[in-house]
Amino acid sequence: MLRRGLTSYGRVIKRGYATELPAFDYTPPAYSGPSKAEVLKKRKQYLNPALFLVYKEPVMIVDAKMQYMFDETGRRYLDLFGGITTISAGHCHPEVVKAAKEQMDKITHTTTIYLNNQIAEYAEELAAKLPKDLDVIYFTNSGSEANDLAMLMARLYTNSFDFIALRNAYHGMSNSMMGVTALSNWKQNVPQGFGVHHAVNPNTYRGPFAGDANAAEKYANDVKDLIDYACTGKVSGFIAEYIQGVGGSVVLPDGYLKRVYEHVRNAGGLCISDEVQTGFGRLGTHFWGFEKNGVVPDIVTMAKSIGNGTPLAAVATSRKVADSIAGKLHFNTYGGNPVSCAVGRAVLRAIENDKLQKNCLERGNQLLSGFRKLQEKHDIIGDVRGHGLMLGVEFVKDRQTKEPATPEFLQIFEECKNNGLLLGKGGYYGNVMRVKPPMCINDKDVDFAIDVLDHAISKL
């Protein structure tokens, strides 16, 4: 007989009863590939040594369907990280898979030197989701490429070089985006960031103006200070995520972007909204993160949820800004690939037809309520934040000092995995639980997640 506190396959044993994964009508086919030990050995021998695994005992995922993933033994997990905020419609969403297969039966690759209906129709459909003048779309393969292009456009259009980003921000791992990123554990010791200036991170929980009613204005003043003293008085652009993803789900304070955009535009710069993680309805109330802060950017970059796991990204801007790169040849071999565009179109349809933005709002509110109840019960939870299905829970040893509870969170992280719940972690100290699941999770999934988290914290 199982005793209280022990676990069985697919169950959490708690207070003498079991909390099980919600019922799901899918059984993955039997896995017939190499063992997990063999795969790990090949990975260590042949793959980039900078790659990392997040669990002490690695999880090997070989199948997935909607909000669930399966390991090589057939064990099911609830995915609350969505391939690092990448799965939007759901793993192997049937309509998305269908669109990819149908296009692959026709043609898989053309490049933009030929006409193809998919890229043209998709650009039109994507532009319809954006503010009126942001109707020129340039497709790339990743968020790093999209942000690269946005910075290039800003510098060419303004004929200025100085560029402003935020500390604690992550915008990609290309060489130029490594310089824009401001987290030391993501930066290699190579020349980078020439012309990039980093403003104080507007963190309302940990920052210098935490708890200040005028935090937005005071943090925005640091951007103005950079323009006046670190730059020429002119800037090419400013980039920010409305909710910093890798940085630990840090939400920019209300009114912050409005004041920053004024400072940047007064200095001749363009304002760039990095929607790589916040876009496509994930925040629930709005389709884009910048809408939550009541601003309209000059350039929008997007990736991840745009393709539901397919390599796809895009930059959207106005015609006048887009024309800035037309003076020279500019090309992306795979950007706008017919298969990727067919997938992107199917994702937009799924978000609309499955009412996923509404689901993000409802399930996000349910998660926030559950997390806040756990915060009342467990002192180790210092902060609960976010919107929709882009949430963060920060763990601290002491609520007054806010000392990061990194080792304790790692124990919680492992225990949740052992009981069928996969999460993300982030923040500079690695003490923030990142919750960014497929946008199709249901109310029973949320109940399961809250129960498992409660169990894991109680085991400390």
Side-chain angles (χ1 to χ4, degrees), residues 147-160:
N147 287 332
D148 269 342
L149 180 59
M151 185 166 71
L152 174 65
M153 285 181 173
R155 284 173 164 168
L156 290 172
Y157 179 77
T158 62
N159 198 31
S160 294

Side-chain angles (χ1 to χ4, degrees), residues 29 118 130 140 142 193 209 213 226 235 241 254 317 383 447:
Q118 291 288 6
L130 289 153
T140 66
S142 69
F209 303 118
L226 277 177
V235 294
E241 310 160 89
D254 291 343
T317 190
D383 193 35
D447 290 340

Side-chain angles (χ1 to χ4, degrees), residues 339-385:
V339 177
S340 296
C341 286
V343 166
R345 298 180 69 196
V347 169
L348 286 181
R349 293 193 297 272
I351 291 171
E352 182 73 23
N353 296 338
D354 297 352
K355 297 179 172 57
L356 294 183
Q357 184 175 333
K358 179 175 182 286
N359 192 59
C360 286
L361 178 61
E362 293 174 351
R363 299 290 73 77
N365 287 339
Q366 185 185 354
L367 280 164
L368 284 169
S369 175
F371 291 152
R372 285 169 179 152
K373 288 177 182 176
L374 292 183
Q375 186 178 24
E376 293 174 2
K377 179 180 179 180
H378 302 288
D379 290 342
I380 195 171
I381 296 179
D383 193 35
V384 174
R385 53 185 180 252

Side-chain angles (χ1 to χ4, degrees), residues 116-138:
N116 182 270
N117 66 297
Q118 291 288 6
I119 186 172
E121 292 184 274
Y122 184 35
E124 180 182 29
E125 292 163 5
L126 196 55
K129 294 289 187 182
L130 289 153
K132 180 181 177 182
D133 292 332
L134 302 181
D135 58 358
V136 179
I137 313 294
Y138 193 109

Side-chain angles (χ1 to χ4, degrees), residues 16-30:
Y17 62 89
T19 298
E20 298 186 9
L21 275 164
F24 187 63
D25 187 20
Y26 174 74
T27 300

Side-chain angles (χ1 to χ4, degrees), residues 117-424:
N117 66 297
Q118 291 288 6
I119 186 172
E121 292 184 274
Y122 184 35
E124 180 182 29
E125 292 163 5
L126 196 55
K129 294 289 187 182
L130 289 153
K132 180 181 177 182
D133 292 332
L134 302 181
D135 58 358
V136 179
I137 313 294
Y138 193 109
F139 291 107
T140 66
N141 308 291
S142 69
S144 295
E145 285 186 340
N147 287 332
D148 269 342
L149 180 59
M151 185 166 71
L152 174 65
M153 285 181 173
R155 284 173 164 168
L156 290 172
Y157 179 77
T158 62
N159 198 31
S160 294
F161 195 73
D162 286 313
F163 189 84
I164 297 176
L166 297 177
R167 297 174 193 173
N168 197 57
Y170 176 94
H171 294 288
M173 279 292 97
S174 64
N175 188 259
S176 63
M177 285 302 106
M178 189 184 297
V180 175
T181 292
L183 288 158
S184 62
N185 44 4
W186 290 97
K187 295 168 81 72
Q188 299 286 354
N189 186 26
V190 296
Q192 58 180 267
F194 181 49
V196 177
H197 308 274
H198 291 102
V200 172
N201 179 35
N203 189 328
T204 57
Y205 178 66
R206 283 192 173 274
F209 303 118
D212 191 321
N214 296 315
E217 181 74 21
K218 292 179 178 179
Y219 281 125
N221 286 341
D222 187 63
V223 174
K224 178 66 164 62
D225 197 59
L226 277 177
I227 292 170
D228 290 343
Y229 294 98
C231 304
T232 63
K234 296 290 184 181
V235 294
S236 60
F238 166 85
I239 189 170
E241 310 160 89
Y242 170 62
I243 300 180
Q244 294 178 328
V246 175
S249 300
V250 176
V251 184
L252 304 189
D254 291 343
Y256 173 77
L257 285 180
K258 184 175 181 180
R259 290 296 290 134
V260 168
Y261 278 23
E262 289 174 0
H263 294 320
V264 171
R265 285 169 173 156
N266 286 340
L270 299 183
C271 299
I272 303 166
S273 182
D274 181 336
E275 298 284 343
V276 168
Q277 295 196 34
T278 52
F280 294 87
R282 179 167 290 279
L283 303 189
T285 55
H286 298 81
F287 201 82
W288 305 108
F290 61 80
E291 295 173 305
K292 288 284 286 184
N293 225 235
V295 295
V296 177
D298 302 294
I299 303 175
V300 177
T301 61
M302 58 199 87
K304 292 186 179 284
S305 290
I306 190 175
N308 199 50
T310 298
L312 176 63
V315 179
T317 190
S318 63
R319 173 63 59 185
K320 62 181 181 180
V321 174
D323 283 345
S324 64
I325 63 169
K328 299 286 184 178
L329 294 176
H330 196 272
F331 180 75
N332 188 306
T333 300
Y334 299 105
N337 173 279
V339 177
S340 296
C341 286
V343 166
R345 298 180 69 196
V347 169
L348 286 181
R349 293 193 297 272
I351 291 171
E352 182 73 23
N353 296 338
D354 297 352
K355 297 179 172 57
L356 294 183
Q357 184 175 333
K358 179 175 182 286
N359 192 59
C360 286
L361 178 61
E362 293 174 351
R363 299 290 73 77
N365 287 339
Q366 185 185 354
L367 280 164
L368 284 169
S369 175
F371 291 152
R372 285 169 179 152
K373 288 177 182 176
L374 292 183
Q375 186 178 24
E376 293 174 2
K377 179 180 179 180
H378 302 288
D379 290 342
I380 195 171
I381 296 179
D383 193 35
V384 174
R385 53 185 180 252
H387 298 287
L389 291 181
M390 189 162 180
L391 306 175
V393 177
E394 183 158 353
F395 292 86
V396 295
K397 294 178 184 290
D398 183 283
R399 288 186 177 178
Q400 296 302 312
T401 66
K402 301 177 183 176
E403 180 184 353
T406 304
E408 292 82 357
F409 173 54
L410 290 179
Q411 292 180 52
I412 295 166
F413 189 71
E414 292 283 344
E415 185 64 20
C416 285
K417 181 265 290 185
N418 293 339
N419 292 291
L421 182 65
L422 302 182
L423 299 158

